[in-house]
Amino acid sequence: MALSRRDFLTRVGQAGGYSAAFLSMQGLGLMPAKAEAPIALNAAPGSGKGTKVVILGGGIAGLVAAYEMRELGYEVTVLEARARPGGRNWTVRTGDKIKFTDGTEQTCAWDAGHYQNFGPARLPSIHRTILGYCKKLGVQLEVEVNTSRSSFLQNDAANGGAPVIQRQAINDTRGHVSELLLKCMNAGALDAEMTKEDRERMLAFLRMYGSLDNAGKYAGGDRAGYKVEPGAGDQVGIPSTPIDMHTLLDENFWQGVLFEETFDMQATMFQPVGGMDRIPFAFAKSLGDIVQYNAPVTEIRKTSRGVRVGYTVGGAAKTIEGDYCICALPLTMLRKIPNDFAAPYKKVIEECSYAAAYKVAWESRRFWEQDYNIYGGLEFVMNGCSPIWFPSANMHTERGVVVSGYTDESTSPFGKLSIPEKFAESRKSIERLHPGHGKELEKPMYVGWGKIPWNEGSWIRSYDAKPTQPRPDGSTSARGINSPGYETLIQPDGPIYFTGCHVSHIVAWQEGAALSSLRAVKMISEKVKLAKLASQAGSAVAV
């Protein structure tokens, strides 16, 4: 019996979850796979002269807005609560302190030159806007190894709990699926969907794609790796024994394999040399005293001419007025600041919820390189701290910093653990994948973004009080489908424009933050242009 396209996608979704169905739809041309085009400002240099803009927040969104508005001639002031630029773009090095809202404090004691990006840690090559700023500002980049076929996958329900190597899981699955599909085609199951010529081409493709033998069987091959690697003389390579199909069909096991297929996780990925915070510090250097640090906002009010913002510096209360305000603060912080936003905006700010991503990082001998030939990439552990994230910088040095655990702790038991208990769980995940190496982990550092002052959350999870319906794989869309809250925030509240990754379709990425600010700058510039044209027309009529 022939399968319709709908039935095929339904079965793919049942077997492999949302990610597998999504990828199949992209492959069939049913969903686009392209990056969002950069926003063109279409504003002349100097067009902002005489207009004052107050920007709240010195993260990527605020810095991009300030950079572009200064270029257009606007009078710009950025108010940043911290002593540094970057917001969630935060790189921790030796001597740095991590302070939580409850007073807990950690001090980093890693070796000189070691660092960890506890916020964003990779730049997809499809994120043209933020990469463009790196080029413009002279931020040197290097490749970030986001995936490695030498890394491990582990699931208690698969392979007796023993980890398997990604290259074997991926290629054995290709082989088994190709063998099954070839059997279906030989039985005529797809005859109604394909011409005779396409059928012959598909059969040839499956034999190559799945490394099938002449009988159409999958018996392993060098793509999946070796029991004994080939060498000199009489050392012949012996391919690994294939993992059985039942083990490979475990859905959770496959979440790690499908990770690198996500559109914005595909190679090539980049990172700034020396740490992700090289980006905000480059913006800050360019902007100079436009950015005022240690200046937390205390009040936001509209006036007849624009806005009035209250803030403090060194404990002293200050105010600043402007024609427009770009608000690049997390909504978790806005709900604590007195304001006179319109009712729909207040509702979104009060009802939204944020994720609480965390990372645990350790200093260690580079056992992953030295003992396992793993250079960069991620490993995945089911029912533990996951992923394990290996560093892409300074390879072949003696020691490095590895992440063991990076996910949302607000919805898991991990969030309720004490910091020492978190460290113990993090170490345990390394031990499950690499027995004996957990004891090599030293000087742990934990960042939980739900507890970080001036953020109190990592990225937006829902804009409305009613939770977003989960996808088939259990995940949720941050903005939901036609979310009224999102539609509210993308429009200005009078002279106040909201920016940040939460005002974009690229939540949790610096690209989303940058694009949201470019959009706000464009909207303000168009409004300023119309106001000047109206003023000129009025003057002409008066004459």
Side-chain angles (χ1 to χ4, degrees):
M1 176 180 176
L3 283 175
S4 70
R5 182 177 284 179
R6 179 189 295 272
D7 290 337
F8 172 71
L9 290 171
T10 298
R11 294 189 185 184
V12 169
Q14 290 170 342
Y18 167 81
S19 298
F22 179 84
L23 292 167
S24 297
M25 292 176 73
Q26 280 194 345
L28 291 169
L30 300 179
M31 293 190 73
K34 65 178 182 179
E36 187 171 341
I39 294 174
L41 296 179
N42 297 324
S47 58
K49 188 175 181 180
T51 304
K52 188 173 183 179
V53 180
V54 183
I55 299 175
L56 312 183
I60 292 299
L63 294 171
V64 167
Y67 183 89
E68 295 296 343
M69 301 204 94
R70 181 199 57 183
E71 295 296 292
L72 295 174
Y74 290 90
E75 182 182 344
V76 183
T77 300
V78 178
L79 300 177
E80 168 54 45
R82 295 180 171 92
R84 62 168 179 84
R88 204 170 67 241
N89 182 328
W90 184 27
T91 303
V92 172
R93 302 175 180 84
T94 185
D96 290 342
K97 294 185 182 299
I98 296 174
K99 297 180 180 180
F100 292 156
T101 51
D102 63 4
T104 302
E105 186 173 305
Q106 304 165 72
T107 301
C108 183
W110 295 332
D111 295 348
H114 288 176
Y115 66 87
Q116 180 58 48
N117 299 311
F118 276 104
R122 47 198 161 201
L123 300 169
S125 55
I126 59 169
H127 287 181
R128 291 174 284 173
T129 305
I130 196 69
L131 288 178
Y133 283 118
C134 289
K135 183 176 181 180
K136 187 178 294 185
L137 295 167
V139 177
Q140 184 180 355
L141 301 179
E142 61 188 357
V143 170
E144 190 270 339
V145 183
N146 204 42
T147 182
S148 169
R149 294 292 172 90
S150 296
S151 64
F152 291 175
L153 305 169
Q154 189 274 341
N155 185 347
D156 290 342
N159 201 38
V164 299
I165 298 176
Q166 277 209 42
R167 69 166 55 87
Q168 183 168 12
I170 292 169
N171 287 290
D172 283 354
T173 301
R174 282 184 180 180
H176 290 309
V177 170
S178 296
E179 180 181 330
L180 287 173
L181 186 52
L182 188 143
K183 288 179 181 178
C184 290
M185 293 182 65
N186 285 335
L190 297 178
D191 285 356
E193 300 289 325
M194 308 178 77
T195 66
K196 181 180 179 181
E197 182 180 2
D198 283 346
R199 181 179 180 278
E200 292 303 317
R201 289 180 177 177
M202 188 65 175
L203 289 172
F205 166 75
L206 289 175
R207 289 190 178 94
M208 179 179 291
Y209 181 74
S211 293
L212 306 183
D213 60 22
N214 292 333
K217 302 291 184 180
Y218 177 69
D222 59 355
R223 293 179 187 174
Y226 293 89
K227 290 181 189 175
V228 178
E229 294 186 9
D234 60 357
Q235 185 172 326
V236 178
I238 302 176
S240 301
T241 302
I243 302 171
D244 64 88
M245 190 65 168
H246 175 75
T247 297
L248 293 169
L249 282 178
D250 184 283
E251 181 179 352
N252 289 330
F253 181 80
W254 263 96
Q255 294 304 311
V257 170
L258 291 173
F259 169 81
E260 67 174 286
E261 304 298 340
T262 306
F263 181 47
D264 47 17
M265 291 295 179
Q266 296 170 8
T268 301
M269 306 287 282
F270 297 101
Q271 63 183 19
V273 175
M276 189 62 74
D277 65 353
R278 298 295 195 242
I279 299 175
F281 276 101
F283 271 113
K285 181 180 179 181
S286 173
L287 293 169
D289 58 8
I290 285 176
V291 184
Q292 296 188 26
Y293 300 102
N294 299 308
V297 175
T298 57
E299 187 179 31
I300 307 169
R301 303 294 179 186
K302 300 168 191 169
T303 67
S304 59
R305 298 184 58 183
V307 294
R308 184 181 70 253
V309 177
Y311 64 103
T312 62
V313 174
K318 294 180 176 291
T319 60
I320 184 172
E321 296 195 3
D323 299 291
Y324 297 95
C325 173
I326 290 182
C327 185
L329 299 174
L331 302 186
T332 48
M333 294 294 96
L334 273 184
R335 67 172 57 134
K336 296 184 175 186
I337 299 173
N339 63 74
D340 57 4
F341 297 151
Y345 298 87
K346 285 181 176 286
K347 183 175 186 293
V348 177
I349 292 167
E350 287 300 319
E351 293 184 352
C352 74
S353 64
Y354 267 58
Y358 79 91
K359 285 182 183 177
V360 175
W362 304 79
E363 191 173 72
S364 171
R365 178 180 72 87
R366 290 177 177 254
F367 61 83
W368 52 92
E369 295 177 7
Q370 298 163 14
D371 300 347
Y372 296 90
N373 200 43
I374 299 172
Y375 293 90
L378 286 80
E379 297 185 322
F380 295 89
V381 180
M382 295 300 121
N383 304 316
C385 291
S386 189
I388 312 302
W389 194 344
F390 299 116
S392 296
N394 303 315
M395 292 181 182
H396 281 291
T397 55
E398 183 61 28
R399 294 169 61 78
V401 175
V402 59
V403 168
S404 179
Y406 171 35
T407 188
D408 182 1
E409 65 177 340
S410 66
T411 57
S412 73
F414 187 85
K416 299 178 181 179
L417 301 177
S418 66
I419 292 180
E421 289 171 334
K422 293 177 193 290
F423 290 153
E425 287 300 311
S426 175
R427 189 192 298 272
K428 191 181 300 181
S429 287
I430 292 284
E431 190 67 22
R432 288 167 74 177
L433 285 166
H434 303 285
H437 296 286
K439 65 178 180 295
E440 295 193 62
L441 303 176
E442 301 175 350
K443 306 173 187 175
M445 300 296 292
Y446 156 72
V447 166
W449 281 99
K451 309 176 185 70
I452 296 295
W454 313 117
N455 280 90
E456 298 185 27
S458 48
W459 49 75
I460 197 158
R461 186 166 51 203
S462 175
Y463 292 90
D464 308 299
K466 184 179 179 181
T468 303
Q469 291 298 312
R471 293 169 170 149
D473 69 347
S475 66
T476 59
S477 168
R479 63 181 180 87
I481 299 175
N482 299 323
S483 164
Y486 180 80
E487 296 301 323
T488 296
L489 282 186
I490 63 175
Q491 300 302 324
D493 181 9
I496 301 169
Y497 292 70
F498 299 91
T499 68
C501 69
H502 54 279
V503 195
S504 80
H505 297 304
I506 317 176
V507 173
W509 290 101
Q510 294 177 95
E511 184 78 357
L515 287 172
S516 73
S517 284
L518 288 176
R519 178 177 179 271
V521 171
K522 182 179 181 181
M523 293 170 72
I524 291 173
S525 294
E526 289 173 348
K527 193 166 185 179
V528 168
K529 181 180 179 180
L530 288 174
K532 288 183 177 180
L533 289 174
S535 177
Q536 292 169 3
S539 298
V541 170
V543 172

